[in-house]
Structures are given as C-alpha cells and as structure tokens.
Amino acid sequence: VTTRAQRSVLAMLATERSFVSAQDLHARLRGSGDRIGLTSVYRALQALADAGDVDVRRTDTGESTYRRCGSGAHHHHLVCRVCGATVEVAAPSLEAWVTRVARKHGYSVDDHTLEVTGTCSRCSPE
Amino acid sequence: VTTRAQRSVLAMLATERSFVSAQDLHARLRGSGDRIGLTSVYRALQALADAGDVDVRRTDTGESTYRRCGSGAHHHHLVCRVCGATVEVAAPSLEAWVTRVARKHGYSVDDHTLEVTGTCSRCSPE
DNA sequence: TTAGTTGCAAAAAGTTTGCAGCACG
DNA sequence: CGTGCTGCAAACTTTTTGCAACTAA
C-alpha cells in the first residue's frame, strides 16, 4: 500500500543521509512545489515507520526525526553532531553482550537502542 | 544550591525506583499535600539533571522521565517493560567497543546512550 | 534591600484528530 | 457509489516563559 504522500516523503528522504524532522520534511516538500499538507507528512511517516521502512529517532528537544533505512535489519547509529551525517552499524557482538548482561540481572531482552553522537572525519578540525 | 522545589522533587524521587514524568511527579507531590507548582517541578528537574543528580530519559511518546541517579558516573539502563524497574549497569567493555567502532568510521565520540528494555525476573511468567 | 524562588496564566512547539471534499476503483 | 486519501483548522500534550508576589539572607 503506497499513497501519494508516502511516495513524496520517501523520495525526499532518499535525497538526505541524515535524520530529518517531519516539519523540516514538509517545508522541503512545499519548497519543491509539492502541495502536500503537514498532516499527510505525519501520517505517511507514521505508516512508513510502522512498516519498518524508515528509522525514527527522538531528539533531546522532543521532536521525532526520520531517516530512510539502509536495511530492514537491526542496526545502530553513529550520528555526527555537526553535520548530522549518520552511519548505520551492525553489531553482533553488542547484541550478544546485551543479552548476556541482561540475563545476569534476571532480565530477558525485548529491545534495545544504542546511539553514538560524535564528530565525523569531515567535521573534525583534526 | 538547593531550593525548596528541588528538595521536594528529590524526596519524592527517592521513593520511586523507576522513571517518572514531570507531570506525574507533580501530581504525586500535590497529592501528598505539597502546594508546589508544575513550573517549579520542571525547573527543579532541569536543574537536577544539569547537575547530574537525576537521569533523564525520553519516552517514545515524547515525554521526559526522570529518575534519581545511583551514581554520578556514566552508566546505562536496563528497564523492565512491565513494572518499570530499572537497573543501572556500568559497561567498560561497551565504552571501549563504541570508541573502536566509531574510530573505524572516522568518528570521534562525544557521547552515547544505550537502553535495554526487557522483562525483569519478577515480571517474567517463567 | 536585593537577588533569587515561586506559581499562575499564557505562549510555544510538536503532533494528532475531526471533518468535508476529492480521487479513484 | 463507496472506500480511502488529503489538507485545513482546531484540539491536545508537554514544556517553557512572562510576570508580579513572595522569601530569605
């Protein structure tokens, strides 16, 4: 099931390698001539996130930001604090570690998230 | 520097082992006879979080939740999805792993967060 | 006195919902 | 036709800010 709004949103997300907010995305779409409404952007993002086609991330200012997934598989993010560029990293050893530590405390694991913020090589003063 | 609001908030947080939202905290304080305003709860939590005396966590519904820190040192959380109980875990090997992986991608690390949600032993049907 | 704290009311900011109109099978 | 998508406006939620009263050194 793909609606017009979802196609617009996906196309715009494809041009961006870092996380974008719904509002930002809407502004860009409007700027490029699309007559889409903010509501539809939110609805499309929600549907795409539910389907696992985009990653969702809450910023510390409380907005949700979205990014097109490189893969549907489980992964974590390395986010550049300066330019926002992100790298997806798979981490089998981390998954194992998480399970082990949780078990040690009597917990079974349902889910986990890891996020690393740093500075990428292009933004480093070096 | 401790204000009356901060003392009230800390005292109430001391009675709770899981993360609580500012609104929730305010309701409890009011319920226990405190005449504190919601604004002061927010301001106190902000100050305490800045000082590193409480942990802050954003829920997926967009509210910030707070918990009294066991220690000021860096740590991660194991959160029970059912009862909300949390365990703080230190993870030296994780820190090392994060740094190593980031460097491999040309990133320097400023900060990172790991959160594991699962079910604790008391809430497991086993 | 005077700098800092308090709490109400109002404002922000982000997201969701109600609803009438459209599009399309 | 009728089901579902769209977008506007209004509602809602959480958090922040303006401000006058208050407090304590």
Side-chain angles (χ1 to χ4, degrees):
Chain A
V1 184
T2 13
T3 68
R4 175 160 53 85
Q6 285 176 37
R7 282 189 295 275
S8 290
V9 165
L10 268 185
M12 186 56 75
L13 280 177
T15 71
E16 177 61 57
R17 52 200 154 292
S18 55
F19 283 86
V20 194
S21 72
Q23 311 259 1
D24 198 351
L25 209 45
H26 177 243
R28 293 194 201 187
L29 286 165
R30 278 301 180 92
S32 72
D34 201 317
R35 294 244 168 280
I36 194 171
L38 179 57
T39 308
S40 295
V41 174
Y42 274 108
R43 286 195 276 233
L45 286 169
Q46 214 160 31
L48 292 168
D50 286 350
D53 291 330
V54 300
D55 285 337
V56 191
R57 192 170 74 97
R58 283 261 172 198
T59 68
D60 50 7
T61 64
E63 21 172 45
S64 297
T65 52
Y66 305 84
R67 180 178 186 276
R68 198 164 164 231
C69 276
S71 74
H74 181 75
H75 57 259
H76 299 286
H77 291 113
L78 228 50
V79 182
C80 175
R81 176 173 64 142
V82 181
C83 69
T86 56
V87 177
E88 294 181 1
V89 297
S93 64
L94 171 70
E95 320 296 319
W97 180 87
V98 163
T99 306
R100 186 154 31 83
V101 170
R103 185 165 302 149
K104 185 160 61 178
H105 290 279
Y107 279 64
S108 64
V109 176
D110 292 332
D111 191 25
H112 67 276
T113 55
L114 169 69
E115 187 165 292
V116 182
T117 51
T119 315
C120 75
S121 52
R122 279 184 306 162
C123 296
S124 280
E126 67 194 288
Chain B
V1 184
T2 10
T3 67
R4 174 160 52 86
Q6 285 177 37
R7 281 189 295 275
S8 290
V9 165
L10 268 185
M12 186 56 75
L13 279 177
T15 71
E16 177 60 59
R17 53 195 156 293
S18 54
F19 282 85
V20 193
S21 72
Q23 310 259 1
D24 198 352
L25 208 47
H26 177 242
R28 294 196 201 185
L29 285 166
R30 279 299 179 95
S32 73
D34 201 316
R35 295 245 167 278
I36 193 171
L38 179 57
T39 307
S40 295
V41 174
Y42 274 108
R43 286 195 276 234
L45 286 169
Q46 213 160 31
L48 292 169
D50 285 351
D53 292 330
V54 301
D55 285 336
V56 190
R57 192 170 75 98
R58 281 257 172 202
T59 68
D60 50 5
T61 65
E63 21 171 45
S64 297
T65 52
Y66 304 83
R67 179 178 185 276
R68 197 161 165 232
C69 276
S71 74
H74 181 75
H75 57 258
H76 299 286
H77 290 113
L78 229 52
V79 182
C80 175
R81 177 172 64 142
V82 180
C83 69
T86 57
V87 177
E88 295 182 2
V89 297
S93 64
L94 171 70
E95 320 296 318
W97 180 88
V98 164
T99 306
R100 186 154 31 81
V101 170
R103 185 165 301 150
K104 185 159 64 179
H105 290 278
Y107 279 63
S108 64
V109 177
D110 292 333
D111 191 25
H112 68 275
T113 55
L114 168 69
E115 187 165 293
V116 183
T117 50
T119 315
C120 74
S121 52
R122 279 184 306 163
C123 296
S124 279
E126 67 193 289

